[in-house]
Amino acid sequence: MSDRAALLKGIRVWLVFFVVCLVLSGATAFPLVHELRWTEEALRTLGAPERLPGLMEWIERVRDGLDTADAEHPFLLYGTDWLAFAHLVIAVAFLGPYRDPVRNVWVVEFGLIACAGVIPLALICGPVRGIPFWWSVIDMAFGVFGAIPLYLVRKKIKRLESLTEAAVPGAAVVPAQ
């Protein structure tokens, strides 16, 4: 396998991993009410109320809020439907770098910027919305862990670009099929 083919394969593997995580993250925003009930039941079964009382208090508070919203103001949950949809739409954008990484490196850079933006959003909006700091840290971890594969993909794309330009100066990269 040539260096170019190996780089392209590595780029695609990391992009598929990132897209799968993005889709799963988005898809889980649709059934929030049921997921939180299942999570609460599972945590109780595992003995979390005794071991992690702060976590259980938070889960109970969020579940109560979601139950109330679902019963009395279901339109509020429409916002999480749009959050889920946004994840799915953003995932589709990563088809561009999958097909032609060099030409579409900007999508990966956009993803890195979005991952970085998670941190100030959590630090600013978390306290405004009464989110415990430790939960904001979990939210920020999504940005950090999302940036890791994208950073690796960007590095590989830049290497692929330099290999292609070295072989044929000024040539456009044609992805391997």
Side-chain angles (χ1 to χ4, degrees):
M1 180 180 290
S2 70
D3 287 345
R4 186 179 178 291
L7 280 171
L8 192 56
K9 182 178 181 182
I11 289 165
R12 288 178 171 168
V13 166
W14 278 113
L15 284 172
V16 166
F17 172 75
F18 181 79
V19 166
V20 166
C21 290
L22 194 56
V23 166
L24 290 174
S25 177
T28 61
F30 285 116
L32 279 181
V33 174
H34 301 293
E35 283 176 341
L36 208 50
R37 288 180 191 149
W38 298 330
T39 300
E40 185 179 13
E41 288 173 27
L43 288 172
R44 287 189 187 291
T45 301
L46 295 171
E50 296 79 32
R51 294 185 191 102
L52 301 167
L55 173 65
M56 282 308 298
E57 288 171 20
W58 175 247
I59 295 293
E60 290 167 356
R61 180 175 179 208
V62 173
R63 193 242 333 117
D64 183 52
L66 282 172
D67 283 346
T68 301
D70 190 38
E72 298 175 23
H73 311 287
F75 56 87
L76 291 174
L77 298 176
Y78 189 53
T80 62
D81 296 337
W82 281 106
L83 169 71
F85 178 72
H87 278 76
L88 302 177
V89 169
I90 292 167
V92 170
F94 284 90
L95 290 174
Y98 184 90
R99 292 178 65 197
D100 188 343
V102 174
R103 184 178 297 160
N104 293 296
V105 68
W106 69 270
V107 175
V108 174
E109 292 166 345
F110 163 80
L112 283 164
I113 292 166
C115 286
V118 168
I119 294 171
L121 181 87
L123 289 173
I124 294 166
C125 295
V128 169
R129 301 289 185 202
I131 306 298
F133 180 72
W134 58 267
W135 194 265
S136 292
V137 170
I138 292 170
D139 290 337
M140 288 185 280
F142 280 94
V144 172
F145 290 120
I148 292 170
L150 293 180
Y151 173 77
L152 296 172
V153 165
R154 187 180 183 284
K155 271 181 69 169
K156 288 178 182 295
I157 290 173
K158 291 301 179 180
R159 271 193 287 173
L160 179 63
E161 181 179 39
S162 67
L163 277 177
T164 303
E165 286 179 359
V168 183
V173 175
V174 179
Q177 296 299 322

